[in-house]
Amino acid sequence: TQLLEQSPQFLSIQEGENLTVYCNSSSVFSSLQWYRQEPGEGPVLLVTVVTGGEVKKLKRLTFQFGDARKDSSLHITAAQPGDTGLYLCAGEPYGNTPLVFGKGTRLSVIA
Amino acid sequence: DTAVSQTPKYLVTQMGNDKSIKCEQNLGHDTMYWYKQDSKKFLKIMFSYNNKELIINETVPNRFSPKSPDKAHLNLHINSLELGDSAVYFCASSPSGAYNSPLHFGNGTRLTVT
């Protein structure tokens, strides 16, 4: 079974700070997705990274897929209270099998 | 609004009862899913349907039976509910069955079995 480990599990920071959350595996994935989930709602897709070494930017969020396609990171610059939520990574294994989700990083940005 | 909508939002019931959760998507997607999110926020796929046909059935007890009357609907019926079934159940859809196809989730049904 392929696993995705996310770290840290919890992160509480002040508004304006920068942060990085990680998604790691010993397995290789053909693509990786990042979602944000707010309380009482379903996860919402932020980005999909497909190519090893790929970097994608979404405003203040920067996503990177590791060269070996085993890991990914999400960096947030100048965090805002609206960034608060549960960040989930999900990897697509090779071989047409379902997405594997990590357990998430719960981010709290305090004004 | 284009969305994945599921009902009810909350469901509280006793052990041994049978209950159903309904899901509808108006996004025109071919593939629909049921996911279970436990108390530690771990999301695990239960079922996937493509154009009304079952394509994934993970190791889910037989007490759980999905039904897809058409490609816009995927309902979940649960028989003989157990305490361990308490979780948030999410319906999702995607444009195709390819796994890098982005998932659109509903807002979840919080099931509490007492």
Side-chain angles (χ1 to χ4, degrees):
Chain A
T1 303
Q2 293 176 287
L3 294 174
L4 279 167
E5 300 285 343
Q6 290 191 244
S7 61
Q9 199 174 346
F10 300 96
L11 186 56
S12 182
I13 61 170
Q14 295 289 326
E15 181 176 3
E17 291 183 3
N18 301 333
L19 66 114
T20 302
V21 298
Y22 301 93
C23 175
N24 295 308
S25 177
S26 57
S27 304
V28 178
F29 292 95
S30 70
S31 70
L32 199 132
Q33 301 172 11
W34 283 91
Y35 292 81
R36 180 169 67 215
Q37 183 179 11
E38 300 188 24
E41 298 183 7
V44 176
L45 180 74
L46 297 172
V47 78
T48 301
V49 284
V50 179
T51 308
E54 182 176 3
V55 176
K56 277 192 175 177
K57 293 197 174 189
L58 188 67
K59 298 184 182 177
R60 293 175 295 99
L61 278 59
T62 302
F63 303 85
Q64 183 159 11
F65 199 14
D67 291 340
R69 313 166 79 97
K70 293 183 180 181
D71 54 85
S72 182
S73 63
L74 158 58
H75 182 79
I76 303 179
T77 304
Q80 297 176 3
D83 296 328
T84 294
L86 178 70
Y87 288 82
L88 294 161
C89 65
E92 179 196 357
Y94 284 96
N96 198 32
T97 53
L99 285 177
V100 174
F101 277 85
K103 293 187 180 180
T105 291
R106 183 168 295 286
L107 171 66
S108 178
V109 182
I110 302 162
Chain B
D1 282 349
T2 54
V4 178
S5 55
Q6 53 184 111
T7 55
K9 175 83 173 164
Y10 300 96
L11 187 51
V12 181
T13 188
Q14 292 185 324
M15 281 172 52
N17 284 349
D18 304 338
K19 289 293 177 188
S20 292
I21 308 171
K22 294 187 175 181
C23 179
E24 175 181 6
Q25 55 95 3
N26 61 5
L27 298 163
H29 290 169
D30 286 335
T31 309
M32 295 185 72
Y33 310 79
W34 277 107
Y35 278 82
K36 179 180 179 181
Q37 188 173 46
D38 62 24
S39 58
K40 295 185 178 178
K41 303 300 181 187
F42 187 47
L43 261 175
K44 195 165 181 331
I45 191 167
M46 300 172 68
F47 301 101
S48 171
Y49 270 72
N50 184 269
N51 252 327
K52 301 194 298 174
E53 289 195 20
L54 179 68
I55 55 173
I56 294 173
N57 181 351
E58 292 293 301
T59 49
V60 177
N62 290 341
R63 300 180 295 103
F64 290 79
S65 52
K67 293 271 191 316
S68 182
D70 55 61
K71 78 171 194 176
H73 295 84
L74 181 63
N75 304 322
L76 183 64
H77 188 75
I78 316 169
N79 289 328
S80 304
L81 278 154
E82 300 177 358
L83 292 176
D85 297 333
S86 295
V88 182
Y89 291 83
F90 285 99
C91 178
S93 69
S94 65
S96 74
Y99 290 111
N100 61 7
S101 187
L103 294 173
H104 296 252
F105 285 89
N107 283 333
T109 295
R110 180 175 293 279
L111 171 65
T112 304
V113 183
T114 61

